[in-house]
Amino acid sequence: MGQIRIVIDARELRTSTGRYIDRLLQYLQNIKSDYQFIVLLKPKDMESWKPQNKRFTAIPCRHKEFTFAEQLGMWIQLHKLKPDLVHFGMVQQPILYRGKSVTTMHDLTTTRFRNPSKNWLVFTLKQQVYKWVNRIAAHKATAVITPTEFVKGEVARFTRINSRKIVVTPEAADAISEKPQPFQELEDKQFIMYVGRPQPHKNLERLIKAFELLRQNHPGLKLVLVGKKDILYRRLEKFVTEEKVKNIVFTDFVSEGQLRWLYEHTAAYVFPSLSEGFGLPGLEAMMHGAPVVSSNATCLPEVHKDAAEYFDPLDIEDMAAAIQRVIDDPTLRKKLQTRGTVVAHSYSWQRMAEQTMEVYRRALENN
């Protein structure tokens, strides 16, 4: 019998959602095995990712996600490679490929929420196709990976596959290694913060309204929204201007050092999301000592455990009250910071990679 060849689809490596596949590749290389790994990268990423293990080889894949080229060109490329197993790090994949495969399904948020920056009709049509692709990918996969038990249950219900086919491999947060770099505008100021993109399911308009309530008792408090200014953030800035809300800081892009300083100095990290697959920003905040105030929606209580103060993300008054409890009560803040450190360090990318390797072994044994 020849050497077993596993193809890993890493086209998402350098995208905003690519941390999962990046860390998986990094830590898989630490695990001893007899498998040969072929990593499919976008041509532009070939220079920025180099294997550190001789069992790993990177080759270019020119077929973009959700295109006809992906459906035909990538299907042809996979057949030429003749892999024993393919790991698709996302649901975007050639639906006609019927070899053994593992698919990671991070969440089903896109099946429920629309993107207001996109044309309504085009997005609605694409959303229906996306739902169909999710179902096809789940049914044809030998095994499905999800990051949380919540997503496992959601995928099983949505796709109607047997939940025993789904394996949970939790992700992990990374400590920022750069030295803290003060954000001058906020030195000696009390502030709460959010990090990430402002899509509708992130629920930032309700956070802003909750912040307005908070300022009645904390007039000097600031709300810091950290993220590169895209069309959705510009829309949110317009909303803030129209609502005449003061003390909101839109940072635009920040360095890793600035982000670390913000985490280390915030009165609270607020995670108001309506839907998440794992919720890494909350864990990253905990890693750097920020007390976390979190939505109780979807997977967040599962991931943050007893290390967050929770609120109903649809209830603006409940959100404001939870934040106020944390910023007004030093004992509660300290308790959340202590528990947060423990919870953040309980997750491990190495363990995630080892669990994934076990998924590969079982899939290869599956007849």
Side-chain angles (χ1 to χ4, degrees):
M1 184 177 176
Q3 192 168 42
I4 290 173
R5 292 153 59 89
I6 299 176
V7 168
I8 298 179
D9 178 8
R11 290 174 296 158
E12 290 281 284
L13 186 70
R14 300 299 181 218
T15 68
S16 59
T17 57
R19 192 192 301 192
Y20 163 78
I21 205 74
D22 179 73
R23 298 302 186 270
L24 176 61
L25 290 173
Q26 178 184 342
Y27 289 96
L28 276 177
Q29 293 182 81
N30 298 336
I31 302 172
K32 288 184 179 180
S33 81
D34 296 323
Y35 303 150
Q36 190 72 31
F37 289 91
I38 300 166
V39 180
L40 299 183
L41 298 172
K42 290 177 178 175
K44 66 181 179 64
D45 297 332
M46 289 293 291
E47 285 302 312
S48 66
W49 190 85
K50 299 291 184 184
Q52 304 300 310
N53 185 311
K54 63 183 181 181
R55 291 182 292 103
F56 285 71
T57 305
I59 64 172
C61 180
R62 294 176 171 80
H63 314 298
K64 191 177 178 184
E65 306 93 326
F66 285 124
T67 62
F68 181 73
E70 175 183 63
Q71 294 305 314
L72 183 59
M74 190 178 183
W75 178 75
I76 292 170
Q77 184 176 24
L78 289 173
H79 272 277
K80 287 181 178 177
L81 289 170
K82 294 183 172 59
D84 296 282
L85 181 70
V86 180
H87 181 182
F88 297 106
M90 54 197 165
V91 296
Q92 301 93 302
Q93 57 190 265
I95 58 172
L96 292 177
Y97 184 76
R98 289 296 189 268
K100 281 188 178 181
S101 67
V102 171
T103 291
T104 299
M105 300 181 73
H106 298 278
D107 59 63
L108 293 176
T109 300
T110 307
T111 66
R112 292 194 300 270
F113 295 87
R114 63 176 296 268
N115 186 335
S117 69
K118 307 292 185 184
N119 175 279
W120 179 85
L121 180 59
V122 173
F123 184 83
T124 301
L125 290 172
K126 285 187 173 180
Q127 190 177 49
Q128 295 309 309
V129 172
Y130 181 74
K131 289 179 181 180
W132 179 68
V133 169
N134 270 271
R135 292 188 175 103
I136 295 292
H139 279 273
K140 74 184 185 67
T142 312
V144 172
I145 289 174
T146 65
T148 56
E149 291 289 343
F150 174 84
V151 178
K152 175 179 177 175
E154 196 175 40
V155 166
R157 287 188 296 273
F158 181 77
T159 65
R160 297 180 181 177
I161 62 171
N162 193 318
S163 62
R164 286 179 293 183
K165 184 178 177 177
I166 307 171
V167 180
V168 177
T169 67
E171 298 171 14
D174 297 300
I176 297 171
S177 57
E178 284 188 26
K179 290 181 179 178
Q181 182 182 346
F183 201 89
Q184 292 183 340
E185 184 180 347
L186 296 166
E187 286 190 280
D188 302 318
K189 301 286 194 304
Q190 187 184 42
F191 64 91
I192 59 176
M193 67 183 287
Y194 162 84
V195 177
R197 297 187 68 197
Q199 291 107 322
H201 70 274
K202 298 298 185 180
N203 204 28
L204 297 189
E205 288 191 7
R206 285 193 183 91
L207 172 58
I208 289 165
K209 290 176 180 177
F211 175 69
E212 280 192 282
L213 295 179
L214 277 171
R215 287 192 63 240
Q216 294 173 9
N217 294 323
H218 299 82
L221 184 68
K222 291 183 180 289
L223 169 60
V224 181
L225 301 176
V226 182
K228 186 177 179 181
K229 286 189 184 178
D230 58 9
I231 186 171
L232 291 177
Y233 258 127
R234 288 193 289 274
R235 287 186 183 199
L236 200 62
E237 279 187 299
K238 184 179 178 184
F239 171 78
V240 166
T241 302
E242 290 172 349
E243 295 289 316
K244 297 184 172 62
V245 185
K246 299 186 183 303
N247 285 16
I248 296 187
V249 178
F250 291 87
T251 67
D252 203 356
F253 173 81
V254 299
S255 69
E256 288 285 285
Q258 286 176 314
L259 180 57
R260 179 174 172 180
W261 185 90
L262 290 167
Y263 281 143
E264 291 177 354
H265 289 82
T266 190
Y269 179 87
V270 187
F271 206 158
S273 187
L274 300 172
S275 179
E276 294 290 329
F278 190 72
L280 276 176
L283 282 186
E284 191 173 80
M286 290 176 185
M287 184 75 75
H288 293 94
V292 171
V293 190
S294 175
S295 157
N296 63 10
T298 63
C299 70
L300 294 174
E302 176 188 340
V303 173
H304 296 153
K305 299 183 170 65
D306 64 351
E309 187 75 3
Y310 292 102
F311 57 81
D312 177 351
L314 298 175
D315 187 332
I316 292 164
E317 291 184 357
D318 192 38
M319 191 186 307
I323 298 168
Q324 183 155 321
R325 285 195 297 273
V326 172
I327 63 180
D328 284 353
D329 186 344
T331 303
L332 177 57
R333 279 174 51 79
K334 185 63 180 175
K335 183 173 73 173
L336 292 176
Q337 288 171 313
T338 302
R339 288 177 177 174
T341 301
V342 173
V343 168
H345 283 93
S346 72
Y347 294 95
S348 161
W349 287 117
Q350 182 65 47
R351 185 163 62 249
M352 182 273 287
E354 289 166 356
Q355 291 169 331
T356 305
M357 185 71 88
E358 183 60 27
V359 174
Y360 295 163
R361 291 193 183 103
R362 290 182 183 178
L364 286 163
E365 291 170 0
N366 189 307
N367 293 318

